[in-house]
């Protein structure tokens, strides 16, 4: 037998009956509890199979916090040791588990246990972390959060388990012991295994964030401030084995609600990691109904390892309630690709085309005939209309310039289905993957963050960046709602969408309407069956200095009112292209079919950036519950009241009436 139990009798099976003992308040494990903190804004999460922790004591602390919140005590049922006296397995149970041994005393104490089945089992994994392997949440007796403070296991927890994040140490790196969990994927497949292979750095600099004087205090101050003004502020902290800050993720209410509206396509901006900024920031970005960038969460990583990226993605996914995006866009990086495949297996993973093309001078600039190679690459990437056309053009470039053994080009070709536009036409990208030459990706924090900005400076400017972004959206909302869009033509399609879409999107669509007039030949080439094939000829600009005629194939099904162009603009940008519009116009269609009117661009949809909460679970006798619920309700009133001058006045008047009524009630008491 490999191990022995902590109990005096050897344990053959972990389900076997065994003497149990209760952790008393003055024992070693209980002492470590008072040094512990919480993992995020609200704590604790219920135990789930697959959660991982840095130590045995962290598992106990986590389960004890959960028990106190639910209203039951905890006892250690079993702990298994190897022959080397190393612990490798444990079982924690409800304090009502099992039954006491029969006593021969004259006045035995009454039986208080009920044989409760609630428990967790956990074991030491190969990566030296403790993983929960079995969970039973149901009790066979009544539990109450009010009674939790009377259990011995809760003695050292004080008045509550929710605490301020302390960051005060000599190096201003927090030493508070926060338990670190690997968040479970939504399919329940357990946690990720990270191998100690080529992607993991062994340098100490990747095991903790490099913080300067004042940085830790800035984090503490900013998070404390956000927790006060935003009850739904979410953050997760990851500490290394020494208790130092390694990784950090946070997201405010607005970002969490925005994800519900615009979370179908998400970009992960890691430019601060690749360009070695002082602030190792990773941003999750979406695009709103105006085509503007919207922040969906932020993280700080000690290093760009698979483990760190996986931890961050799982933290973000947990924040968004386990709802993965349909498409996720990242830089071309093997570390990111491995983490995305693990955490978002069902999402389509795109690689950022502009960032790849920005590397061309660096990767190919030293080659003979570089300019000709660059033009050939651009031609293959941007102007191929079908996969076979790209393959042929690429092969001609490789053969003609002798690039068969170029490692970077080989890697690009292997990943071609994730970044070359011709392979992405069936994926809806909402304009987030830029597919035209010379387009540049702008960072959400441009103007607020550069390579030399310190973390403290960034946090000082963070709210300014969010407010500026919010103001742009508010102004665009007002413009779209209150001022009519100046139509450049009297085209039926433009008139139709002017009533529905925001002005920013209309300006982009207007270019396609104008482009219809550059499509000088639309002819039917195949009319068999319900689907008719048209060929639309357009004169396009190539390489910025010459024009050539191209034929675009458009399929049209009059029965289903479907139109599909080989250029793929609808999925790339979210509105029909000039070629499809030309075919609809030629067939006498005066309105864009409803399946091509995208709801994410509509201005008539009410979007409130307040989390939707019901009264469920509100204890009106609890002042904290009352405060949180009233705050969330009033924020909904604020969101509605700010939308116009009339609403603002009505809101102020209604609030005054409520205050007067409350003062009258108080006067009667």
């Amino acid at each position: 037998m490999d191990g022995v139990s902590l109990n005096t009798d050897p344990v053959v099976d972990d389900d076997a009956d065994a003497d149990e003992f209760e952790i008393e308040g003055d024992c070693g494990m209980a002492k470590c509890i008072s040094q512990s903190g919480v993992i995020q804004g609200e704590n604790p999460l219920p135990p789930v199979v697959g959660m991982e922790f840095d130590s045995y004591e962290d598992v106990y602390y986590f389960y004890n916090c959960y028990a106190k919140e639910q209203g039951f005590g905890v006892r250690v049922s079993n702990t298994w040791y190897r022959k080397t006296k190393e612990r490798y397995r444990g079982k924690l149970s409800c304090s009502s588990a099992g039954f006491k041994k029969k006593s021969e005393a004259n006045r035995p104490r009454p039986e208080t246990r009920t044989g409760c089945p609630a428990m967790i089992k956990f074991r030491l994994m190969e990566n030296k972390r403790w993983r929960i392997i079995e969970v039973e949440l149901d009790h066979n007796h009544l539990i109450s959060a009010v009674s939790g403070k009377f259990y011995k296991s809760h003695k050292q927890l004080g008045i509550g388990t929710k605490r301020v994040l302390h960051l005060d140490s000599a190096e201003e790196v927090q030493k508070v012991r926060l338990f670190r969990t690997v968040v479970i994927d939504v399919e329940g497949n357990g946690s990720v295994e990270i191998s100690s292979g080529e992607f993991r750095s062994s340098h100490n600099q990747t095991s903790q964030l490099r913080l300067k004087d004042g940085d830790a205090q800035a984090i503490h101050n900013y998070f404390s401030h956000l927790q006060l003004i935003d009850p739904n502020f979410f953050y997760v902290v990851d500490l290394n084995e020494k208790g130092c800050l390694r990784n950090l993720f946070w997201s405010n209410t607005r970002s969490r609600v925005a994800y519900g509206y615009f979370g179908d396509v998400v970009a992960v901006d890691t430019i601060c990691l690749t360009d070695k900024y002082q602030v190792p920031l990773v941003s999750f970005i979406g695009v709103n109904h105006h085509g503007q960038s919207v922040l969906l969460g932020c993280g700080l990583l000690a290093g760009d390892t698979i483990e760190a990226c996986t931890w961050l993605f799982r933290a973000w996914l947990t924040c968004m309630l386990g709802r993965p995006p349909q498409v996720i866009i990242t830089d071309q990086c093997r570390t990111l690709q491995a983490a995305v495949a693990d955490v978002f297996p069902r999402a389509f993973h795109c690689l950022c085309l502009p960032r790849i093309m920005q590397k061309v001078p660096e990767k190919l600039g030293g080659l003979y005939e570089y300019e000709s190679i660059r033009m050939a690459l651009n031609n293959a990437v941007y102007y191929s209309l079908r996969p076979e056309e790209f393959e042929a053009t690429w092969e001609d470039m490789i053969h003609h310039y002798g690039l068969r053994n170029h490692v970077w080009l080989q890697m690009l070709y292997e990943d071609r289905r994730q970044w070359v536009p011709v392979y992405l036409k069936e994926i809806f990208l909402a304009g987030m993957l830029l597919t035209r030459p010379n387009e540049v990706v702008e960072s959400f924090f441009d103007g607020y963050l550069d390579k030399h900005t310190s973390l403290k400076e960034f946090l000082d400017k963070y709210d300014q960046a969010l407010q500026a972004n919010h103001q742009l959206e508010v102004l665009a909302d007002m413009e779209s709602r209150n001022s009519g869009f100046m139509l450049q033509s009297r085209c039926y399609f433009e008139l139709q969408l002017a009533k529905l879409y925001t002005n920013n999107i209309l300006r982009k669509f207007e270019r396609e309407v104008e482009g219809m007039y550059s499509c000088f030949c639309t002819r039917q080439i195949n009319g068999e069956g319900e689907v008719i094939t048209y060929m639309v000829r357009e004169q396009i600009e190539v390489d910025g200095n010459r024009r050539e005629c191209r034929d675009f194939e458009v399929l049209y099904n009059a029965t289903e009112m479907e139109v599909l162009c080989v250029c793929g603009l609808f999925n790339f940008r979210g509105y029909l292209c000039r070629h499809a519009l030309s075919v609809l116009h030629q067939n006498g269609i005066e309105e864009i079919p409803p399946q091509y009117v995208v709801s994410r661009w509509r201005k008539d949809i009410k979007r409130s950036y307040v989390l939707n909460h019901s009264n469920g679970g509100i204890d009106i006798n609890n002042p904290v519950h009352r405060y949180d619920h009233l705050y969330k309700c009033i924020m909904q009133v604020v969101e509605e009241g700010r939308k116009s001058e009339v609403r603002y006045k009505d809101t102020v008047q209604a609030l005054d009436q409520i205050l007067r009524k409350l003062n009258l009630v108080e006067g009667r008491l």
Side-chain angles (χ1 to χ4, degrees), residues 107 116 129 151 162 171 192 211 214 248 273 337 340 348 399 418 446 450 455 473 500 536 577 613 619 626 647 652 654:
R107 299 179 63 182
C116 181
R129 289 166 58 75
Y151 288 95
K162 186 172 181 178
E171 300 177 350
V192 59
L211 301 181
L248 181 64
L273 296 182
Q337 287 171 265
V340 168
F348 189 90
H399 176 73
Q418 293 178 271
D446 272 348
D450 58 36
L455 179 57
E473 181 174 330
L500 304 174
V536 180
C577 65
H613 293 273
D619 179 6
R626 293 199 301 267
R647 287 191 175 197
V652 171

Side-chain angles (χ1 to χ4, degrees), residues 186-197:
V186 292
E187 299 299 326
N189 294 324
S191 60
V192 59
E193 289 290 336
I194 305 295
S195 65
S196 56

Side-chain angles (χ1 to χ4, degrees), residues 230-266:
D230 185 353
N232 296 298
F233 173 66
F234 180 101
Y235 70 92
V236 184
V237 175
D238 174 29
L239 302 184
N240 64 15
E241 60 279 359
K242 295 181 180 179
C244 297
L245 180 60
R246 175 165 46 195
N247 303 310
L248 181 64
F249 169 79
W250 72 93
S251 179
N252 62 14
T253 297
R254 187 176 182 85
S255 294
R256 299 177 71 185
V257 177
Y259 181 74
Y261 295 125
F262 313 116
D264 49 350
V265 185
V266 174

Side-chain angles (χ1 to χ4, degrees), residues 436-497:
R436 292 169 178 162
N438 303 318
E439 289 184 307
V440 178
V441 177
E442 294 183 358
S443 172
F444 183 88
F445 292 103
D446 272 348
Y448 301 92
L449 178 64
D450 58 36
K451 288 185 177 182
H452 307 293
T453 305
S454 69
L455 179 57
K456 183 178 182 300
E457 290 174 318
F458 171 66
L459 291 176
D460 289 340
K461 297 177 181 178
Y462 185 81
D463 275 340
Q464 297 177 31
L466 294 181
Q467 288 299 324
N469 179 262
H470 183 200
Q471 187 174 14
L472 286 176
E473 181 174 330
V474 170
L475 292 174
D477 280 339
M478 293 175 61
E479 181 195 14
S480 297
R481 185 170 56 247
N482 300 327
S483 61
F485 184 74
M486 297 297 295
L487 301 177
Q488 300 299 316
S489 71
R490 303 301 296 173
C491 174
Y492 295 123
F493 305 133
E494 198 172 12
L495 287 169
Q496 175 194 2
L497 294 189

Side-chain angles (χ1 to χ4, degrees), residues 209 247-251 266-274 277-285 295-305 308-313 316 328-331 336 340 344 443-445 449 455 458 462:
L209 282 174
N247 303 310
L248 181 64
F249 169 79
W250 72 93
S251 179
V266 174
V268 181
D269 185 354
T270 55
I271 189 66
C272 295
L273 296 182
T274 56
Y277 281 41
Q278 284 194 34
V279 179
L281 181 72
V282 178
S283 305
F284 295 85
I285 307 296
L295 187 65
L296 302 176
C298 286
L300 299 177
L301 296 185
D304 53 353
T305 62
C309 293
T310 300
W311 179 91
L312 180 65
F313 289 165
W316 179 76
I328 190 162
I329 304 170
T330 73
D331 286 351
L336 288 171
V340 168
F344 308 107
S443 172
F444 183 88
F445 292 103
L449 178 64
L455 179 57
F458 171 66
Y462 185 81

Side-chain angles (χ1 to χ4, degrees), residues 129-364:
R129 289 166 58 75
W130 291 83
R131 179 183 298 175
I132 295 178
I133 58 174
E134 187 176 341
V135 174
E136 176 58 60
L137 297 179
D138 293 334
H139 297 258
N140 64 1
H141 57 95
L142 294 176
I143 59 176
S144 169
V146 176
S147 65
K149 60 186 178 183
F150 300 114
Y151 288 95
K152 290 182 179 180
S153 63
H154 302 160
K155 271 187 177 182
Q156 300 296 325
L157 288 180
I159 59 173
T161 61
K162 186 172 181 178
R163 307 184 188 162
V164 177
L165 179 65
H166 296 292
L167 302 170
D168 48 348
S169 74
E171 300 177 350
E172 295 224 340
V173 178
Q174 65 273 38
K175 296 291 185 180
V176 178
R177 291 178 52 82
L178 306 184
F179 53 81
R180 170 175 174 251
T181 69
V182 173
V183 185
I184 307 306
D185 63 65
V186 292
E187 299 299 326
N189 294 324
S191 60
V192 59
E193 289 290 336
I194 305 295
S195 65
S196 56
E198 60 186 278
F199 299 115
R200 180 177 299 194
S201 171
S202 60
H203 298 295
N204 291 333
Q205 64 189 27
T206 62
S207 66
Q208 70 181 67
L209 282 174
R210 289 168 290 179
L211 301 181
K212 295 185 177 181
D213 290 345
D215 285 350
Q217 189 62 46
I219 296 173
H220 168 68
N221 292 344
Y222 185 69
F223 279 24
S224 298
H225 170 69
L226 281 183
Q227 283 186 302
L228 287 174
I229 65 173
D230 185 353
N232 296 298
F233 173 66
F234 180 101
Y235 70 92
V236 184
V237 175
D238 174 29
L239 302 184
N240 64 15
E241 60 279 359
K242 295 181 180 179
C244 297
L245 180 60
R246 175 165 46 195
N247 303 310
L248 181 64
F249 169 79
W250 72 93
S251 179
N252 62 14
T253 297
R254 187 176 182 85
S255 294
R256 299 177 71 185
V257 177
Y259 181 74
Y261 295 125
F262 313 116
D264 49 350
V265 185
V266 174
V268 181
D269 185 354
T270 55
I271 189 66
C272 295
L273 296 182
T274 56
D275 287 1
K276 308 301 180 185
Y277 281 41
Q278 284 194 34
V279 179
L281 181 72
V282 178
S283 305
F284 295 85
I285 307 296
V287 64
N288 66 12
H289 49 303
H290 301 290
Q292 301 167 336
S293 294
V294 56
L295 187 65
L296 302 176
C298 286
L300 299 177
L301 296 185
D304 53 353
T305 62
I306 296 179
E307 183 181 37
C309 293
T310 300
W311 179 91
L312 180 65
F313 289 165
R314 290 186 182 277
W316 179 76
L317 187 61
T318 299
C319 176
M320 301 308 172
L321 305 179
R323 299 168 296 171
Q326 298 174 23
V327 178
I328 190 162
I329 304 170
T330 73
D331 286 351
Q332 186 190 33
C333 168
R334 292 297 183 231
T335 298
L336 288 171
Q337 287 171 265
V340 168
D342 182 20
V343 183
F344 308 107
R346 289 177 173 80
F348 189 90
H349 184 194
C350 291
L351 305 179
C352 184
L353 173 59
R355 294 269 169 81
I356 289 176
M357 299 306 286
Q358 285 172 11
K359 296 178 183 178
V360 169
E362 173 193 347
K363 301 292 186 180
L364 306 180

Side-chain angles (χ1 to χ4, degrees), residues 402-421:
L403 302 172
R404 188 74 59 190
N405 298 321
H406 197 284
V407 177
W408 186 65
L409 289 176
Q410 286 178 349
M411 187 169 61
L412 287 185
Y413 185 75
E414 290 172 2
D415 294 336
R416 64 192 181 281
R417 297 183 185 278
Q418 293 178 271
W419 66 275
V420 180

